[in-house]
Structure formats: structure tokens, C-alpha cells
Amino acid sequence: MDFLKSAVASAIAQGPPFPYSFGDRVDVDASIWTLYNGTRRANGSNCSIFSFDVTANRSRLPLAKNALKKLRTMRHPGVIKVLDTVETDSYIYIATERVVPLRWHVKRKSLSPETIKWGLYSIARTVKFINDEGTSVHGSLRVASIYTSESGEWKLGGFEVLSNVKDDEAIIYTYGSLVPDSGRYTPPELARSGWDAIKRSPHSAIDAYNFGTTIFEVFNGDFLGADQAGQTKGIPPTMHSGYKRLVNANPKARITVGAFLEQGRRPGGFFDSSLIKLTEGVDNLGVKSEDERERFLDDLDQLSDDFPEDFFKMKVLPELLKSVEFGGGGPKAFSVVMKIATKLANEDFEARVQPVVLRLFSSPDRAIRVCLLDNLPLMIDRLPQKVVNDKIFPNMVSGFTDVAPVVREQTLKSVLVIIHKLSDRTINGELLKYLAKTANDEQPGIRTNTTICLGKIAKNLGVGTRAKVLIAAFSRSLRDPFIHARNAALMALAATGDHFTEEECATKILPAICPSLIDKEKLIRDQANKTMDVYLQRIRKAAASMPDTVLPPPQTTEGAGPRMSTPQPSEASSWTGWAISSFTNKISSASGEMQTSGNGAPTPRPASPSASLDPGRTTATPTTSSASALHRQAITSPALSPAPLSRASSTTAPEAYFKDPSPAIDDDGGDAWGDMDDMYDEDADDDGSGFSDAPSTEPATVRPTKKEPIVSPKPFDDGSEPDFAGWLAAQAQKKTPGSKPLPKGLTKSTTATNAAGKKPMAAKPAPKPVVAKKIDMKPKATEADDDGWGDGW
């Protein structure tokens, strides 16, 4: 083989330039030609090269020259296409389109009956053209002279003895017997009388007989001789009658190939098939009327999978793509394109289909856009990620804002198809921006599909914004008036629970689900219960792993007065027991009677539990836990305004602050609880204007003052909270002019009276307290409103 290639290369070097390179040799039937696969040097395209060695076959040189001449001049779609030729004294080269001998397919039996009919139809048309329009005789028609192109079409060659019957010196009369294996295929009249008998019979008779033997060969294999002529083994029954008339022993009784063709094209004939109709209509698809195009596409869509793939790829697909893009083929033609494209290799798809798809995505035709989106799943795996992200998606997003709802909905559905081809920046930027718009679409179905889409692409969203986007979107959908939108939101929440933290589940998601538990629709109520169970199980599991408390253990300070105790586990039998235990834990040791004022009300307790102040004494006497000591203190000490709880005690019983039935506090008083720290002055002196958490260890010197009348406190109300309003009023009297006003809702003063019904004498003004830093206890507004979830991304 290497020697042969070198010899050919040497011959080419000595002759005229031949811009083709020789490749592998292709084995064929006995022929005067040697067939090679070749390539064009300029662009590397495929071709075939028929080579004739003059020195080795000089006796058959006229046959080679006749074939060269006829191939150059015979122009027909069914004839092998010639690209270039070179003729010298030592060789003849004919470069043609890439072809494969039909014998290969016949031996492998790789041709379906429909494909064989289609091929025979093409050869019959070519022979009819040679006989009728060309007034010529092929003279060597057989399987060995037929080839298949890259498109799978059958091409006719073997023009060694092709002759015009008007030429009395035609080569067929002289050299017909020199064709290899001519004896097996020679008609009976020529076998008896020689090749001159052609002149005494219809000139088409020899080709009609050879076409019959070709039919036998393609269905059965080899044709061994005249004895097999007329046998119908393997031949379709619909073809029997015409086949027998082709191989009739009497040349004048034979039907022409043209007549056989017409017989087969009749309705119900053997050439009446969808594949043959396709080959006739695909070439002029662009000029067909709309009705003709519709019928053609219907026939094309009904083709089965056993038709030649190469023909669809090389011939049908380009015509359909041109029809879709320029000829008005529309969505139906593109659907057939995608059916064909599924059988293409990735390289062929990228070269033939992808450029057209990219151009179609920029088309303003809504029908084309919807068709593209419908077929996107069939081609998304063939499209590179960069092409989808940079070229297809920027054109596709225009569908999100299209006025036609069907375009918006189809664009939304396509997000699930292309999401894995988009970059993180595109997903968390432009895509979410458009999904925020479809979430507010006027069409309830589009809103519902947006919720479903977000649930399915949740794993593709950025970790930093995923929870915020999903919570806002699903919470909004839970309030949608469309029942299926609410149901989709609940199902999406149940499916995406792993993307939220336990805190988000407890503080944001569960409160949003709760209204759905009493939805008017049972479908929503049932789904809400299912979704609620998902989150409750997760929260309970998280809570089980949490510590019992994060508060530090209680510490006792030597010399410190009694404080309200921290709730102990043993006191958990009653949820309010720990809150009042500081007042009742010593009640068993209390004795005597409560000292009352003149109006029958109990005398208020001293301002601070850490020391009992007596005007007649100059030192502070530490209190004891006995009731008698408290009793003596109550009757000997001047009545002071009720003191606020220390910070430790004020946080011990939060339930006591949730409501205050006192009429002195208006409805807006809850907003002012955050300003109560203004009353706590950690840096003030021990004159009653400030309070310290730790008791004083040094003796407190009290300046002798005029004895003040006893203040009658407000009578105890069994259902009310401690009289914080009275205490706040007393504090307000002690403030100097220009000090900070009381919090909103607590400005109404309550003035205590003594037993005689007179107002008590004002106490000496205390030094101006240092105002503590104001701490705003109001809940802060969230940054992103649920209704504006698209803006928070």
C-alpha cells in the first residue's frame, strides 16, 4: 500500500498539478478504476478519486476516456458530481464528491426496504433521463456502477460505454464486451447476436433489462446470470409485475424504465411512499405555497426512524433550516428540524443547527420564540454554557415582559431547563429581577409557576441571598388570592426547608404559615398543616439540643439585702410561681397585724429593701427578714414614694409588664417602655434620685428634716399590677425644671394624700440626676418589606 501511494505521488509530481490528496483505497467490484478516499488540499474537504493507470490497462483506455468525457458533460442530480479531472499519458484522475460503493451496503444488508425503494426511484429517474432526454444508452447498469453519496443518495456512475444511439460509431458497439463482468449482465439478445443487436431493438431495452437485474441484486445480493432473471425472491409483491416485464426475454416486449417509474408512482404503487415524496418536495420547499408546505411537513413528520439519516442531515435539514429562517416554514418546520437533530453528532449539531438557533432567538416572531422554548430541552445539552449564558439568555429574557401571556409563561418554564447553564452572577442578578416581575404578574397561573420555579431553583441561588429571597417570595404567595398560588407556596416551603436556619423557621416562616391554617379552602388548610409539621419537627429537634438556660448561676454578695430570686427548676410546677416567690417565701415567719393609715389603707413599704431610713437616727440600720422589723420600720419611717424595682428584680418577672389595667396609662404606653432606662441613673448620689444594684456598705448620714405627713397609697386592687404610675409621678415631682419629660403614656400624675385628705408637703428637691443613655426597646423595622422582595436581592 505504501509503495502504491508513493508511486501515485511520483506520478502526480511529474504531471500537471492536482490539488487533491490521496487517502485509503476503497475495495470495489471488478472495474477499470481504482477508487481512493481523498481530501481537497485547500480546505480539507472530503472527496473521492477515481484513478486509471494507462500503462497497466492500455487496452481499456478508450473506456476510461469515454467515462471521463461523459462524466464531464452529463449533468443530473442522480449522476456522480465531478470536481476536477487530470489526464496524462500515464494516468487519468477524476476527483468527485465523496462516494461509497453501493455494494458495501448490499453485502451488510444495511438498507431498509423503504430506503431501497427510494434509491431505485432515484436511479430510475436518472436512467429515464439518459434514455429519453439524452437519447443515450448506459449499457453497464448494475450494482457495481451505483454509489451512495455522503447524503445517502444513490448516484449513478460506470459511464465506460455510455453512448448516444445517434452515433453510428458509438463505443458501446465496439468495446461493450470489454466491461468487467459484462457476461453476467448481458441481455439475452446481445448474448446471441452481439452488441450490434442494440441497433435492431429499442435503444432503451438493454438498460431496462439491466435495471431489472439491479432490482434483484439489491434485494437478494449477487446476480449470477440470466437464469435468475424474473425470480421474485425478496422483491416486494407490489413490484413483481413491473419487474418481470423489465427482464422479459423479448426486447420489444420489455417496458422502459420510464414506464416502470410511472407505474410505481401511481397511488398505492411501490414508489408511493413518504420518503420519495420528501425527496421530491425538499428541493423546492422555499417556493411552495402555504398549503403545500403544510402537507409536506405533515408527511415529513410522519416518517419513521428507519429512513436514511445521512439524507436528512445533508439534504433535508439545510432546506428546513432555510425554510424556518427565511421561507416561512414556521414552528412546524422547526419541530421537524429538532426531530432530525436528535440523531446528529455534536459536531454536526454545532456546525449546522446551532448558528440558526442563535439567530432565531433574536427573532421577534412570537410563534418562533415559543417553538424554540418548547424544544429547548432537546438541544440544551448540546449548547455550550458560554453560548447559553452570553447569547441565548440575553435574548430570551425579553419574553418575561412580553405582552402575550403565553410567551411569558413559556419563558418562565424554560428557566428550569437552562438554569444549570447560567452563571451565578446571572442567576442572582438578572434572572431574579425578572422573576420578581413574574411573581406580580396579572395572570395567576404565571404567579403560581413563578413560585414553583423558585422552589425548584432554590439550590442554584446564592447562599447569601437565598433565604431572604425565598422567604419574601413565598410569604407573598401565601397571601395570593389564587388558591393554587397559595398551595404552591406551602409546597415550596415544605420542599425548601433545609435552606433556612432554625431561627428563620421560628421567627419568619411559621408566623407566615399560621394564617393558612384557617384558610377558607380545605386544600390550603391541609397543606398548611403538613408544612407546619415539617418546620415544627425541625424546630423541636433544634430546641432539644439547646441548653436549659444561658443565665449565669446566682451569686450571693455578703451584706447585700434580699433580692428577687432567679427561678429554680423545682419551682416550674406553676408558670407564675417563680415570679412571685420573692414576696411569699418568708410569709410563714411573718407575724402581727398590718399597720394601716388613717384611711384604712396599708402603709407603703420603704423605698429600698437594703436600708431603713429613720429621721431620728443618723446611721442606716440593716433590715432583717422578720416581719416585726418590717412592721416597726413601716410605723417609724416617713412615707416615701414607691421605689422602682432594681434592674435585677425588674427582669425577674417579665409577665408583670405585659399589661397594666391602671387608667393612668393610655393605649400608646407600650411604645414608651423603651424609655424607662431614663429613670435609672447609675451615677447618681444616694439621695433617692438614682438606684444602684449593689447595697451601700458605708453608713448613710441623713440630714434632719421636718416630719412629713404619711402618704396613703392606692388601695390594693386584686387584679392590677404594682402601682408604677404612682411611683413615676413621684419621680416627676423630684425632677428639676427643664428635665426630660416622662415617657409617652405615663404623664398623668397620681398625687397621694394623707389620712386627713391633705396633700403632703413637698420634699426637698434632689440634685439633678445624670440621665442614663436612652435605649430604644421598640422592635426595629425590617430592612426589606415582604411586598418588595424583589428589591432586597
Side-chain angles (χ1 to χ4, degrees):
M1 179 65 69
D2 293 338
F3 171 77
L4 180 61
K5 287 184 178 180
S6 61
V8 170
S10 176
I12 293 175
Q14 297 175 1
F18 188 64
Y20 298 89
S21 300
F22 284 78
D24 297 332
R25 178 177 175 174
V26 180
D27 293 330
V28 293
D29 293 289
S31 173
I32 67 172
W33 301 96
T34 302
L35 180 62
Y36 296 91
N37 289 328
T39 55
R40 189 183 183 115
R41 295 175 185 171
N43 53 18
S45 59
N46 293 331
C47 69
S48 292
I49 302 175
F50 289 87
S51 174
F52 178 79
D53 189 353
V54 175
T55 57
N57 282 310
R58 190 169 293 275
S59 62
R60 292 176 174 173
L61 180 59
L63 298 178
K65 288 187 175 183
N66 185 70
L68 175 63
K69 177 183 178 182
K70 297 301 181 180
L71 283 172
R72 283 175 175 174
T73 57
M74 184 70 68
R75 299 294 181 182
H76 189 271
V79 176
I80 295 176
K81 182 180 179 180
V82 177
L83 303 177
D84 201 354
T85 61
V86 171
E87 181 180 3
T88 67
D89 294 338
S90 57
Y91 61 85
I92 297 176
Y93 297 145
I94 304 175
T96 67
E97 60 181 319
R98 175 64 65 88
V99 293
V100 173
L102 179 63
R103 178 70 68 185
W104 284 14
H105 302 290
V106 172
K107 285 184 175 180
R108 293 198 300 263
K109 297 183 179 180
S110 60
L111 301 173
S112 67
E114 288 296 323
T115 303
I116 293 176
K117 290 180 182 179
W118 169 61
L120 289 174
Y121 175 80
S122 177
I123 297 299
R125 292 177 61 190
T126 306
V127 174
K128 177 180 180 298
F129 172 80
I130 293 174
N131 292 160
D132 297 347
E133 283 79 2
T135 61
S136 300
V137 178
H138 186 278
S140 183
L141 185 59
R142 64 195 70 173
V143 168
S145 60
I146 301 174
Y147 302 83
T148 59
S149 66
E150 287 185 302
S151 63
E153 296 175 278
W154 291 18
K155 302 285 186 173
L156 184 58
F159 286 177
E160 289 80 10
V161 292
L162 191 148
S163 304
N164 192 317
V165 295
K166 296 179 181 180
D167 186 3
D168 294 336
E169 301 297 328
I171 192 174
I172 192 171
Y173 303 130
T174 306
Y175 295 94
S177 59
L178 295 180
V179 176
D181 286 339
S182 62
R184 281 193 294 161
Y185 301 99
T186 302
E189 67 274 14
L190 299 185
R192 291 192 304 266
S193 306
W195 288 86
D196 286 338
I198 297 176
K199 299 178 181 178
R200 297 187 293 271
S201 303
H203 72 278
S204 61
I206 182 175
D207 289 339
Y209 181 86
N210 289 151
F211 186 76
T213 60
T214 302
I215 292 176
F216 182 88
E217 269 192 305
V218 295
F219 283 110
N220 297 284
D222 293 331
F223 180 77
L224 302 179
D227 295 340
Q228 290 182 328
Q231 295 181 7
T232 58
K233 177 183 177 182
I235 300 175
T238 56
M239 203 177 287
H240 288 176
S241 176
Y243 159 72
K244 289 180 178 180
R245 296 182 64 184
L246 285 173
V247 295
N248 195 306
N250 183 2
K252 295 182 180 180
R254 294 173 195 158
I255 61 172
T256 64
V257 176
F260 179 82
L261 181 64
E262 292 299 326
Q263 181 181 346
R265 295 177 64 178
R266 294 171 185 172
F270 44 85
F271 285 153
D272 185 17
S273 68
S274 299
L275 183 58
I276 293 174
K277 292 178 180 178
L278 169 66
T279 59
E280 290 184 327
V282 70
D283 292 332
N284 55 357
L285 180 61
V287 297
K288 287 182 179 292
S289 66
E290 186 174 351
D291 293 339
E292 292 175 338
R293 188 186 303 115
E294 286 294 323
R295 288 195 298 269
F296 171 77
L297 293 175
D298 287 339
D299 293 339
L300 184 60
D301 196 34
Q302 295 173 3
L303 292 178
S304 59
D305 296 334
D306 60 350
F307 294 134
E309 298 179 9
D310 292 336
F311 179 74
F312 279 87
K313 178 178 70 175
M314 303 294 294
K315 298 291 288 186
V316 179
L317 185 61
E319 293 297 327
L320 288 175
L321 288 174
K322 287 190 292 185
S323 177
V324 172
E325 194 171 5
F326 308 111
K332 196 165 189 176
F334 188 79
S335 299
V336 180
V337 167
M338 295 312 303
K339 183 178 180 179
I340 298 172
T342 56
K343 298 183 178 181
L344 297 180
N346 290 335
E347 297 77 9
D348 293 330
F349 181 89
E350 183 178 355
R352 300 175 185 275
V353 181
Q354 180 176 308
V356 179
V357 169
L358 296 181
R359 291 194 295 269
L360 290 177
F361 262 107
S362 61
S363 171
D365 190 337
R366 288 193 178 95
I368 290 293
R369 172 61 62 84
V370 172
C371 184
L372 284 170
L373 297 176
D374 282 339
N375 289 278
L376 198 56
L378 298 177
M379 55 182 169
I380 189 63
D381 293 334
R382 303 274 192 102
L383 298 172
Q385 182 175 2
K386 184 174 180 60
V387 171
V388 175
N389 192 79
D390 298 345
K391 296 182 179 180
I392 291 181
F393 183 76
N395 289 323
M396 192 185 80
V397 295
S398 61
F400 286 114
T401 56
D402 195 272
V403 295
V406 65
V407 178
R408 299 200 302 273
E409 184 171 13
Q410 200 61 44
T411 305
L412 178 61
K413 291 179 180 179
S414 66
V415 171
L416 300 179
V417 179
I418 68 169
I419 188 68
H420 65 284
K421 294 280 187 175
L422 301 179
S423 65
D424 293 341
R425 183 173 183 178
T426 301
I427 294 173
N428 296 284
E430 193 171 2
L431 177 59
L432 287 184
K433 179 181 69 174
Y434 285 105
L435 291 181
K437 293 181 180 179
T438 57
N440 297 324
D441 197 274
E442 61 182 8
Q443 297 292 327
I446 295 179
R447 298 197 302 269
T448 303
N449 285 334
T450 301
T451 302
I452 296 173
C453 178
L454 282 170
K456 290 182 177 294
I457 68 172
K459 60 181 179 297
N460 301 101
L461 301 180
V463 178
T465 59
R466 177 192 298 153
K468 183 177 181 181
V469 169
L470 296 181
I471 292 174
F474 297 158
S475 299
R476 185 186 189 94
S477 296
L478 288 173
R479 303 190 299 269
D480 198 295
F482 188 51
I483 177 175
H484 297 292
R486 302 197 299 276
N487 190 51
L490 291 169
M491 296 179 69
L493 282 170
T496 58
D498 295 339
H499 298 304
F500 308 116
T501 64
E502 286 78 7
E503 182 179 358
E504 291 169 339
C505 293
T507 61
K508 296 182 180 179
I509 296 178
L510 284 179
I513 297 176
C514 285
S516 299
L517 296 172
I518 55 172
D519 194 273
K520 295 180 180 179
E521 300 292 338
K522 186 176 184 300
L523 174 67
I524 303 302
R525 295 195 298 271
D526 293 344
Q527 185 60 47
N529 277 284
K530 295 178 183 178
T531 306
M532 181 73 76
D533 290 342
V534 172
Y535 284 92
L536 284 177
Q537 290 176 8
R538 182 178 177 191
I539 292 174
R540 287 168 182 162
K541 182 178 180 181
S545 63
M546 296 175 65
D548 293 341
T549 180
V550 295
L551 297 176
Q555 297 179 359
T556 58
T557 304
E558 191 173 337
R563 293 175 176 270
M564 295 185 71
S565 63
T566 302
Q568 301 299 322
S570 62
E571 298 170 350
S573 59
S574 174
W575 73 276
T576 57
W578 66 269
I580 60 174
S581 62
S582 295
F583 299 101
T584 60
N585 57 3
K586 299 298 182 180
I587 195 168
S588 61
S589 62
S591 62
E593 298 180 358
M594 294 291 293
Q595 180 68 28
T596 59
S597 60
N599 58 359
T603 304
R605 62 185 176 86
S608 174
S610 62
S612 177
L613 300 180
D614 191 337
R617 302 174 65 180
T618 59
T619 59
T621 304
T623 62
T624 65
S625 60
S626 66
S628 61
L630 293 174
H631 176 71
R632 289 194 301 272
Q633 176 182 330
I635 62 176
T636 58
S637 300
L640 299 179
S641 300
L645 295 176
S646 66
R647 294 195 178 186
S649 63
S650 65
T651 59
T652 307
E655 292 86 347
Y657 303 145
F658 290 164
K659 63 177 181 177
D660 186 357
S662 174
I665 303 177
D666 59 15
D667 293 339
D668 296 333
D671 296 337
W673 287 110
D675 299 334
M676 283 194 63
D677 285 343
D678 294 342
M679 303 302 155
Y680 302 146
D681 191 352
E682 298 177 350
D683 299 329
D685 297 333
D686 294 333
D687 57 356
S689 60
F691 301 93
S692 173
D693 289 340
S696 175
T697 58
E698 297 182 1
T701 303
V702 181
R703 183 182 302 170
T705 59
K706 184 188 298 183
K707 187 172 183 180
E708 299 178 356
I710 298 175
V711 180
S712 298
K714 180 180 178 181
F716 177 76
D717 186 359
D718 194 22
S720 64
E721 305 293 341
D723 187 16
F724 294 117
W727 170 78
L728 289 174
Q731 287 295 111
Q733 292 179 3
K734 296 166 64 176
K735 285 185 175 291
T736 57
S739 62
K740 184 174 182 180
L742 288 175
K744 180 181 179 181
L746 300 179
T747 57
K748 183 176 180 179
S749 62
T750 303
T751 305
T753 59
N754 56 17
K758 298 181 181 180
K759 294 182 179 180
M761 184 179 296
K764 181 179 179 180
K768 182 178 180 181
V770 179
V771 180
K773 181 179 180 181
K774 180 177 179 180
I775 302 176
D776 188 4
M777 302 295 290
K778 296 181 182 179
K780 296 183 179 180
T782 57
E783 295 181 1
D785 187 6
D786 287 348
D787 291 341
W789 60 284
D791 301 332
W793 302 347

